[in-house]
């Protein structure tokens, strides 16, 4: 079971949403440790995308250390894939 680590932006985003959304997002992100969710590898990079209703999370997975690092969390319309 992998460890899920959050960068600064996802932590701030989680603090800014209401309680129901927070629980939904946190539950989905913690499910990454078990490989649950709608996960797709982004073409030409080491990043992955997790779809949570109309939210998106960009993350990396370090197999050697078994750590998932959530890089960005935002709504579908505000996430910029070209950056990754």
């Amino acid at each position: 079971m992998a460890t899920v680590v959050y960068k600064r932006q996802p932590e701030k985003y989680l603090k800014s949403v209401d309680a129901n959304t927070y629980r939904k997002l946190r539950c989905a992100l913690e499910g990454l440790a078990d490989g649950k969710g709608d996960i797709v590898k982004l073409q030409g990079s080491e990043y992955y995308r997790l779809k949570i209703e109309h939210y998106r999370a960009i993350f990396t997975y370090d197999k050697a250390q078994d750590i998932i690092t959530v890089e960005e969390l935002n709504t579908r319309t505000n996430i910029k894939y070209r950056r990754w």
Side-chain angles (χ1 to χ4, degrees):
M1 187 152 150
T3 305
V4 179
V5 177
Y6 300 92
K7 292 264 182 140
R8 186 174 182 205
Q9 190 276 337
E11 282 291 339
K12 285 178 71 175
Y13 191 83
L14 284 170
K15 289 178 184 177
S16 73
V17 297
D18 62 90
N20 286 337
T21 304
Y22 176 85
R23 280 193 296 277
K24 175 175 50 177
L25 293 174
R26 193 65 160 205
C27 181
L29 290 170
E30 293 300 324
L32 281 174
D34 299 325
K36 295 179 181 176
D38 184 358
I39 300 169
V40 173
K41 185 169 182 11
L42 298 179
Q43 282 185 335
S45 73
E46 72 272 3
Y47 295 98
Y48 295 84
R49 183 264 299 147
L50 171 68
K51 189 189 304 185
I52 313 161
E53 292 181 11
H54 70 277
Y55 296 95
R56 302 293 184 267
I58 305 293
F59 66 95
T60 58
Y61 176 54
D62 183 359
K63 292 180 185 176
Q65 296 180 344
D66 206 25
I67 295 176
I68 295 171
T69 306
V70 180
E71 303 281 340
E72 186 172 356
L73 176 65
N74 217 322
T75 59
R76 182 184 67 85
T77 56
N78 290 329
I79 202 114
K80 305 295 182 226
Y81 290 111
R82 278 182 257 146
R83 191 170 146 205
W84 307 105

